[in-house]
Amino acid sequence: MTTLSVIQDACTSGIALEKPTAVYGSATREHIELASLLNEAAGMIADAHEWQTLNRIATITGDGSDEDFALPSDFGRMLDKSQLWSSSLETPLTPISDRDQWLGLDVQSFDFVINAWIIYGDEIHIKPALASAVTVKYWYQSNLWGRTSGATNIATFTADTDVFRLNERLLKLALIYKWREMKGLPYAENMADYQDLLAKLINRDKGSRIIRIGRASMPRDAVFAYPQNITG
């Protein structure tokens, strides 16, 4: 279904508007509101779960000196349990979530045992620098939840012929409840319909189920080593 089809269906099943023949590019106030709400609803759905459709793997290649690497152009967020895996190590790199801790490690020039990493300034920073040709890979969620008629993935609907890469019925239900909410109309039942389908789709989605083969079982949150030498 195209964005226009989603909006047309919504207008006959919860939004008391005449079915439009065009929305994006229209100067009609209701059409402008519908176009804006559809983008808001699509982003809300994309953020609600780690959809396998939007999951991607990024690759970083070391050169022996660079410690700062740009995030992918379609980077939405890291997955909740994402780890950075190096081609030169048996364990994942050590995440540093506290920026002051990272600053201390940087300023005091600690001798790292295992590379550590942090995200800030729209970059992934890794210390010490990866050796030349060493690769690091990690999972992330793309922010490109839409697609044009020309098969280009996009982060915002701009045309009546664009399509949603996730579930279109869910998008329609979200549009209906958000429209009714915006207009001060009763929407609790419509929101419940959206939430029920969302829960079912999340349960069916395979993106968060990970099978580990050939490795010892251990907690996914386990910290393997502190990223610096300890002397006594």
Side-chain angles (χ1 to χ4, degrees), residues 7-20:
I7 291 172
Q8 287 175 332
D9 281 1
C11 286
T12 61
S13 55
I15 296 177
L17 290 177
E18 183 177 345
K19 289 174 60 174

Side-chain angles (χ1 to χ4, degrees), residues 12-139:
T12 61
S13 55
I15 296 177
L17 290 177
E18 183 177 345
K19 289 174 60 174
T21 57
V23 173
Y24 288 91
S26 171
T28 303
R29 179 176 61 83
E30 289 84 358
H31 296 172
I32 295 173
E33 292 174 341
L34 285 168
S36 177
L37 275 181
L38 194 67
N39 274 307
E40 183 180 338
M44 177 181 69
I45 293 169
D47 289 341
H49 176 61
E50 296 176 352
W51 304 103
Q52 57 84 17
T53 297
L54 301 181
N55 290 176
R56 300 194 65 185
I57 296 175
T59 301
I60 294 171
T61 302
D63 62 6
S65 60
D66 197 358
E67 296 181 346
D68 312 311
F69 303 91
L71 295 171
S73 60
D74 64 336
F75 183 87
R77 61 182 172 89
M78 298 288 283
L79 304 189
D80 287 343
K81 300 296 183 180
S82 287
Q83 296 177 323
L84 271 63
W85 288 93
S86 168
S87 61
S88 66
L89 297 171
E90 291 293 324
T91 61
L93 276 59
T94 303
I96 304 296
S97 58
D98 186 284
R99 288 173 175 77
D100 281 334
Q101 182 186 0
W102 178 267
L103 186 60
L105 294 172
D106 182 31
V107 171
Q108 297 175 27
S109 301
F110 282 112
D111 185 12
F112 292 85
V113 174
I114 296 176
N115 304 76
W117 65 276
I118 192 172
I119 294 179
Y120 65 85
D122 293 328
E123 291 182 320
I124 286 188
H125 306 269
I126 300 176
K127 287 183 175 298
L130 300 173
S132 181
V134 168
T135 58
V136 165
K137 295 187 178 184
Y138 62 91
W139 286 100

Side-chain angles (χ1 to χ4, degrees), residues 192-206:
D193 289 342
Y194 161 77
Q195 291 174 335
D196 286 347
L197 181 57
L198 175 64
K200 291 176 182 177
L201 292 172
I202 288 175
N203 188 54
R204 295 175 196 164
D205 195 67
K206 307 299 184 182

Side-chain angles (χ1 to χ4, degrees), residues 110-171:
F110 282 112
D111 185 12
F112 292 85
V113 174
I114 296 176
N115 304 76
W117 65 276
I118 192 172
I119 294 179
Y120 65 85
D122 293 328
E123 291 182 320
I124 286 188
H125 306 269
I126 300 176
K127 287 183 175 298
L130 300 173
S132 181
V134 168
T135 58
V136 165
K137 295 187 178 184
Y138 62 91
W139 286 100
Y140 72 96
Q141 178 146 312
S142 171
N143 60 14
L144 303 181
W145 38 253
R147 181 170 290 163
T148 68
S149 59
T152 298
N153 292 339
I154 53 175
T156 304
F157 296 136
T158 60
D160 292 336
T161 54
D162 292 340
V163 297
F164 192 41
R165 295 178 62 197
L166 302 175
N167 188 276
E168 292 155 335
R169 179 167 171 250
L170 186 64
L171 181 61

